[in-house]
């Protein structure tokens, strides 16, 4: 096992433009690089590499990530293979250590939580766009707030039905355990073992990492009951450290580099409203 501190040293040393440039021809354009996307066919280049942020992003197909994720996606490497390739490129000696049982458990949990959040992201969007309740309640709310369908889709907003068990029922069918669904923040379990959807009857705002991975969610109630908290948020987990995450940074990162600065606002809808108005270097 490659120790975490060494893995971070390798990532810090990697220059994304050099790594991507090993496999595709890049053309410098200002502070970034541009090329045709290697992950889908396109006539106009939309694949951007931003050295200052260490990331790439295709604005055609949505593929995004860092040097490691590029190798995993383009060269079909697994995570350790990608790290070893980079270590060799940058002449960093790797001294591996045996993973402890605790480390193996932690890694398994991290990967499982990532799978759950990716599933929840798809499911909540389907509920918003493809169900009568979602369109009538959730989509109507977003539109009443002045959001266009395009911006709703861009920020991958969603909806959780009122029934109380729609999510947990589907998640169980997909093979996800109640224990991990609780840790991901999507369900609660009563003392008698009955599980229910934590975000029931709420619209959802997914929170992404810098590389575009869904790591947490905010959810707003649409009820008028003042006893209910207006917003519920995912708990901290192995994926999500609230003090280290800014809402909208994934969507804003290109504009932040271009504008050399960003605006900090209070909440989810502030970010979305400003994006829709053409101000994209904004986070919450």
């Amino acid at each position: 096992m490659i120790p975490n501190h060494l893995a971070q040293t390798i990532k810090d040393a990697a220059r994304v433009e050099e790594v991507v440039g090993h496999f595709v021809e890049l053309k410098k354009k200002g502070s970034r690089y541009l090329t045709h996307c290697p992950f889908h066919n396109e006539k106009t280049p939309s694949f951007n590499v931003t050295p200052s942020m260490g990331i790439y992003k295709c604005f055609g197909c949505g593929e995004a990530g860092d040097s490691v994720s590029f190798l995993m996606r383009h060269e079909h490497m697994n995570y350790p293979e990608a790290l070893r390739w980079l270590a060799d490129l940058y002449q960093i000696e790797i001294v591996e250590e045996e993973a402890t049982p605790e480390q193996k458990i932690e890694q398994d949990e991290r990967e499982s939580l990532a799978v759950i959040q990716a599933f929840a992201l798809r499911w909540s969007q389907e509920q918003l766009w493809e169900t009568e309740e979602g369109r009538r309640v959730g989509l109507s709310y977003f539109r009443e707030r002045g959001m266009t369908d395009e911006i709703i889709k861009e920020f991958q907003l969603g909806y959780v039905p009122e029934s109380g068990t729609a999510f947990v029922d589907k998640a169980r069918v997909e093979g996800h355990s109640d224990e991990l669904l609780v840790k991901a923040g999507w369900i609660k379990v009563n003392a008698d073992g009955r599980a229910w959807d934590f975000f029931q009857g709420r619209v959802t705002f997914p929170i992404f990492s810098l590389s575009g991975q869904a790591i947490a969610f905010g959810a707003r109630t649409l009820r008028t009951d003042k006893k209910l908290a207006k917003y519920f948020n995912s708990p901290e987990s192995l994926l999500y450290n609230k003090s280290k995450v800014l809402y909208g940074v994934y969507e804003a990162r290109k504009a932040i580099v271009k504008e050399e600065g960003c605006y900090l606002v209070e909440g989810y809808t502030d970010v979305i409203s400003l994006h829709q108005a053409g101000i994209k270097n904004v986070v919450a």
Side-chain angles (χ1 to χ4, degrees):
M1 178 180 176
I2 300 175
N4 288 334
H5 72 275
L6 183 54
Q8 191 59 53
T9 297
I10 295 169
K11 292 178 182 179
D12 291 342
R15 296 186 60 83
V16 68
E17 71 275 20
E18 293 177 350
V19 175
V20 175
H22 269 78
F23 304 97
V24 297
E25 184 177 349
L26 297 175
K27 183 177 180 180
K28 189 168 176 58
K29 188 174 182 180
S31 62
R32 58 193 174 92
Y33 293 82
L34 189 66
T35 190
H36 287 89
C37 181
F39 302 122
H40 82 289
N41 295 322
E42 60 179 9
K43 295 181 179 179
T44 303
S46 60
F47 189 87
N48 288 260
V49 177
T50 307
S52 61
M53 298 188 73
I55 60 172
Y56 64 87
K57 165 71 175 181
C58 176
F59 291 92
C61 69
E63 283 289 339
D66 58 11
S67 298
V68 174
S69 58
F70 181 85
L71 292 172
M72 293 173 67
R73 178 73 171 84
H74 192 268
E75 295 300 297
H76 306 290
M77 298 179 184
N78 59 34
Y79 181 69
E81 289 171 342
L83 288 177
R84 293 188 185 99
W85 190 95
L86 291 171
D88 183 64
L89 177 66
Y90 292 98
Q91 300 182 346
I92 298 172
E93 182 181 3
I94 291 181
V95 179
E96 299 196 33
E97 62 184 27
E98 183 68 25
T100 65
E102 292 78 11
Q103 289 172 325
K104 291 178 180 178
I105 291 172
E106 181 176 307
Q107 182 59 30
D108 288 345
E109 181 174 315
R110 184 187 302 274
E111 292 174 356
S112 296
L113 288 172
V115 171
I116 287 174
Q117 300 294 27
F119 160 71
L121 179 64
R122 294 191 302 271
W123 181 87
S124 58
Q125 291 179 88
E126 289 172 359
Q127 298 303 306
L128 180 70
W129 293 99
E130 300 176 16
T131 69
E132 188 278 332
E133 180 184 336
R135 292 189 297 268
R136 174 173 50 82
V137 181
L139 195 55
S140 293
Y141 167 77
F142 288 133
R143 287 171 174 168
E144 287 170 3
R145 290 295 302 265
M147 298 181 194
T148 64
D149 288 1
E150 290 73 22
I151 203 74
I152 294 169
K153 291 178 180 178
E154 179 182 345
F155 280 82
Q156 303 183 64
L157 308 182
Y159 178 73
V160 180
E162 284 273 7
S163 70
T165 62
F167 177 81
V168 68
D169 291 342
K170 181 63 176 177
R172 284 170 170 171
V173 170
E174 294 292 317
H176 301 299
S177 71
D178 284 6
E179 178 185 3
L180 287 172
L181 292 172
V182 169
K183 288 184 177 181
W186 274 90
I187 72 169
K188 296 288 186 181
V189 179
N190 291 340
D192 61 3
R194 184 178 64 84
W196 50 279
D197 298 342
F198 185 51
F199 296 147
Q200 60 181 286
R202 293 173 179 260
V203 289
T204 57
F205 299 82
I207 300 168
F208 298 99
S209 67
L210 188 60
S211 64
Q213 180 186 47
I215 56 175
F217 288 78
R220 188 194 193 283
T221 184
L222 302 182
R223 300 175 185 173
T224 57
D225 186 351
K226 293 185 178 180
K227 294 181 180 179
L228 288 173
K230 181 180 288 187
Y231 282 96
F232 282 162
N233 298 287
S234 299
E236 293 202 346
S237 69
L238 292 175
L239 280 184
Y240 177 54
N241 184 327
K242 187 175 182 180
S243 65
K244 295 182 178 181
V245 176
L246 292 167
Y247 177 72
V249 71
Y250 170 65
E251 294 85 356
R253 65 201 185 289
K254 179 184 176 184
I256 290 171
V257 172
K258 181 180 178 181
E259 303 294 336
E260 298 184 344
C262 73
Y263 297 104
L264 180 66
V265 296
E266 183 179 2
Y268 307 116
T269 56
D270 298 324
V271 170
I272 296 169
S273 296
L274 285 169
H275 263 259
Q276 187 167 294
I279 303 170
K280 299 181 183 291
N281 57 326
V282 55
V283 297

